[in-house]
Amino acid sequence: MGSDLKEEAIKRAKVLMVGAGGIGCELLKTLALSGFQDVHIIDMDTIEVSNLNRQFLFRQSHVGQSKAKVARDAVLKFMPQINITPYHANVKDPGFNVDFFKQFNVVLNGLDNLDARRHVNRLCLAAEVPLIESGTTGFLGQQVTVHIKGRTECYECQPKPTPKTYPVCTITSTPSKFVHCIVWAKDLLFAKLFGDKKQENDLFVSAGDGSDSEKPTDIFERGSDEDHEQYGRKIYNHVFGYSIEVALANEETWKSRRRPNPIFLKDVLPERLILQNGNLEKNFLTEDLPLSAMSSVGLSNPQDVWSLADNSRIFLEALRLFFGRREKEIGNLTFDKDDQLAVEFVTSAANIRASSFGISLHSLFDAKGIAGNIVHAVATTNAIIAGLIVIEAIKVLQADFQNCRMTYCLEHPARKMLLMPVEPFEANKSCYVCSETPLLLEVNTRTSTLRDFVDRIVKNKLGMSFPLIMQGATLIFEVGDDLEEDVAANYALNLDKVLVELPTPVSSGTMLTVEDLQQELSCHINIKHREEFDEDKEPDKMVLLGWTAREKESQVVSNGNSTSAAVPAAAEATMKSEEAEVNAEISGTKRKLSEILEATENQEASQILSRPDADNFKNSHELEDDDDDLVVLDNYPETSKKQRLH
Amino acid sequence: MDGEELTAQQTALYDRQIRVWGVDAQKRLSKAQILVSGLNGTSVEFCKNIVLAGVGSLTLMDDRLVTEDALQANFLIPRDETVYSGRSLSELCCESLRDFNPMVRVLAEKGDLAQCEMEFLDKFDVVVVTGCSLKTKIEINEKCRKRAKRIAFYAIECRDSCGEIFVDLQNYTYAQKKSVGTAECHLSYPSLEDAILLPWRNLPRKVSKLYYAMRVIEKFELSEGRNPGELSNFDLPAVLKLRKELCDAQSLNESHVPETLLERILVAGPMLYPPVCPILGGILGQEVIKAISGKGDPLKNFFYFDAADGKGVIEDISNPSSI
C-alpha cells in the first residue's frame, strides 16, 4: 500500500469524522480498510428505515439506535483492531470545543446541513486542523474539498446561500408556487391545529359569518357541541372558502395577480360519505398499522396526483383521525416527515390551497420531499466521495499539501473527465471567517429591532449559536445561562428596541462587533441606514454585504506553489488557459445543474451550487429568486408528476 | 413498465433513490439478474452498491478460499477464522450481502465462469468479471455477445492505486435527455477483443497512459500464464522489453507508456490502494444502474482512475465507423 512513510502517517493519525450517515458509513469503512487505527465519530441521529438504502452498516434491526455506535460495531466485525470512539451527540455541543478539535490531525465532514458545516469550519480554523469537506445529492455533480488554514480557502470563503425565507404575506395571502402552499400547510395550518397553542401564528382565524358579536371568535376553537366531523368541515370551509373570500375583498392585492377561487365543501364533496363510518371501525381493529387517511379513503399510490375531491377527502379524514385517535398528541405536535398522517394532512391541505390559487397539484411523494426537505441520495455517489476523501486525507497527513486537490464528480463528462481534480482555491481575503474583514449591513435602524438583527443576521446568516454583541466596549447583548438577572433582563429589553433607540444608539456609521466564543469567531459589522427594502427580494429587510467577487485570475491558478513550476512558460500558459477552460466548464456545469436541480427549501441543494464567478453574489441571489416548484430532474422525468403552469 | 407496483416495503426503503431515478427505473432494477465473477476489493464494492440499489438477484462466482490477500480491502468477510476457515469467498460474501438488502436474492455459484456452458449466461442481464486473464475476459465477452438476449458485459481491474473499467453494451438504444424533451440515442460498442485490437497509432493522441500500460501488463501476464496481481518487481525488465516490442510494432513512442507507471503496478503485486476500490466500484455501480434502468448516458467504453493525479477519465476506444 505505498511507502512505509505513508503507512506510518496513517497508523499514527487521529481522525475525527463528523457524521455517520450516507458519507459517514462509506468513509468509516474505507478508513478502516486503509489502515487507520484511531477514528472518532460524532453523530446525533438515530437510524431510520429510509437510511438503509445506502447506509449499509445499518440493518432493519438497528432502527432507532445511535448511528455512531452502530457504525462502530459494524466496522469492528471486519476490522477488529481499529479504535473507533463514537459520540452520540450534536457536534455543536459545547464539549466539542477548540481543545477537543486540536487533538486531531484531520477532520472529515459527512454532514448534511449548512449550519453544522459552518460551525465545524470555524472550529477547525481556530484549532488549526485541516478540514476535508464533501457533499452529495443524487447522481449529480458533487465535490470533495480540502481546507487548510493559511493555504487554502476556508469552507465559508465562498458565500453559501442561507436557508430560504419567504415573506409572510406570500405564505398567508399571495402564494404563487407550490412550496408556498406547503409552508402554509405545515407551518401555519398544521401548527395551528396540532401544535403549541401558545405559539404565534399568522393564520387568519376570525369567524365572520355574520354573527353580531363585537369580539371576533377564533374559528379554531372547537365548540362543546361540535363533533370532530363538524369541526373538520368548519375548518375546511374557513381556511379554503371564507378566508379566501375575505382576502378577495381587498382589491389592491389582486390588481395584477390571479384571483384565487374560494373552495367550499358543498361544491367539492356534495355527498356525505357514509362509508367513512365503516372505515372508522376498520381502523380501530388494525391498531398496529400506522394511521393513514389514504388507506381509509382507499388511495394507495403515493406517486399519484389526487383530484381536488380526493385531496378534500384525505384532508377531512386526516383531521378526523388526528382528533379521534391521536388526541393526546394534539397541542404538542411538530411536523415530522416520517409521520404518515402528518404528511397526508399537509399534502392535501397544500393541494387544496394550490387548487384555489391555480397552482399545480403534487403527489404525496413530491409534497413529502418538499415539506421534509428530503435529500435524495444513492450509495454509489457516497462511496466515490468517501474514496476521494480518504485519498486527500492521506495526502494531508503526509503534509503533501502541494498535491491536495478539490475534486468534482460530474454527471456529464467535461473533457472526458467524470472525476475532475482542481487545485484548491486561495483564501478569500474578504472572508469574514478566516480573514478579518468587516461586513456591511444595510438596515432601517428606525424600524428594525435588535431581535431582528440577532435572529436574521447573527444567527441565521452568520451562523453563530451563542453570540455576543458589542458596540465599542459596551455589551449590548449576549446569550448565556449564567447571566445575572438584571443583566439578562436588560438584554431582554434591548431585544425589542429598534436599533436607534438602544442605550448606545446604533445608526449609520456605527460599528458592531459580533462574537461567538465557542466558535472563536469574531467579526465586525459596519451599519448603514437604508429606508426602503424590496418585500419580495429582501424579505429580511436587511442586507448583509461584505465578501467581494473574486478576481478571475485567482480562480485559475491558485496556490503560489503551482506544481507546474518546472514547466516552461509557454506550456504553463497553455495549462493556465486549459484550467480556465475547465473552470469555465465547471461554472457552466454548475449553472446547468442549478437549473435542473431540485430547488426546494433544502439549503443543501442550492448551497452546493454556489461556485463564484465575477458575479458570485448576483448568482446566489439569482439562485434564490429562481426558486421554483419541484423541478424535473435531468434524466428522470417521472420523479415529478407536476405540470408546469406555463 | 406497468404491472406490479413496488411494495410498501420497497417504497419505504428505496425512497431516497427513487427521488433520484424514479419509480420505473426502480422497478426495472428489481427485475435485473447480475453475475459477478471474481471477488476482490473493487468487485465487492460493486456488489454492495448493486445490492443496495435493489436488483432482482446477484450471483457470485469465486471458489478461492480465504487468504490474507483475499481479506485485503474486503469488508464483507468477518475477521473470524472460525467463520471463514475452509469456506469460499463467494459463500462468505454472499452471506454478508444478503444482510444488506433482504429483498435481493444473493447466490453463490460454484465453478469457474470460463468453463461454463454458454446457456448459463442466459440467466443474466449483466456480467461483471475481474481478476482473470485477458483471454478469459475475451472469451466470456464473446459468449455474452453470442446470446440472443443482450447481456451487458463489464470488466474491472484495480492495480496499485489505479484502475480500469471496460464496458460493452453491444447495440444500445436509450432516450437521451435533451434541453427540450428526449432524443433516441444509439450507441454501438465494440467487443473487448476488437477494442484492444485497434492499432495504437490510430487512437487519439491524448489517450490515457493507463490504457497502454494495462495492455502491456495484460499481454505479459498472458505470456507468463499468470492472473492479475501475480506479477512483481522482478518482472520489470521483461515487461519493459515487451513494452518496446509492442510500441515498435504499433509505431507508438514508448513515452506513452511510462516506466514509472509500469513499475508502480508491478511493485504493488496483488496489493490494492484501498480508497481506490470504492471509487471504481462506485463508478461501475452507477454504470450498471444506468444500463439496467435505461436512464442516463452510459460511458463508452473505458474508464480510468489514477489516484496519482486524481482524474477519472473516459476513453472511447472504438472504431469511428462503428459509432
Side-chain angles (χ1 to χ4, degrees), chain B residues 266-286:
Chain B
L266 291 172
V267 166
M271 303 306 281
L272 311 168
Y273 190 42
V276 177
C277 298
I279 295 171
L280 284 171
I283 296 283
L284 180 61
Q286 277 176 188

Side-chain angles (χ1 to χ4, degrees), chain A residues 309-322:
Chain A
D310 278 337
N311 273 299
S312 305
R313 291 186 182 102
I314 299 274
F315 179 86
L316 292 171
E317 182 65 6
L319 260 177
R320 208 175 55 83
L321 288 172
F322 267 117

Side-chain angles (χ1 to χ4, degrees), chain A residues 26 29 33 50 53 59 77-78 303 365 375 377 380 394 416-419 421 633-636 638, chain B residues 13 16-17 19-20 23-24 45 48 52 75 79 99-100 177 273-275 286 295 309 312 314-315:
Chain A
E26 294 285 347
K29 170 255 303 166
L33 292 176
S50 60
N53 81 319
R59 303 281 171 268
K77 288 216 179 77
F78 64 86
Q303 303 268 344
F365 182 78
V375 181
T380 51
I394 293 174
K416 301 196 299 184
M417 283 186 272
L418 283 180
L419 300 175
L633 289 176
D634 208 19
N635 291 316
Y636 313 111
E638 71 260 32
Chain B
L13 178 63
R16 299 300 185 265
Q17 62 201 45
R19 291 175 193 279
V20 176
V23 173
D24 275 355
E45 278 284 339
K48 164 200 28 105
L52 290 173
F75 57 93
R79 293 297 198 271
D99 271 349
F100 287 8
K177 186 91 165 74
Y273 190 42
Q286 277 176 188
K295 293 268 169 81
D309 65 14
I314 298 173
E315 295 291 357

Side-chain angles (χ1 to χ4, degrees), chain A residues 384 388 407-409 417-421, chain B residues 279 303 305 310-312:
Chain A
I384 294 166
L388 293 169
T407 308
Y408 291 97
C409 306
M417 283 186 272
L418 283 180
L419 300 175
M420 180 190 288
Chain B
I279 295 171
F303 174 82
F305 177 75
K311 289 187 187 164

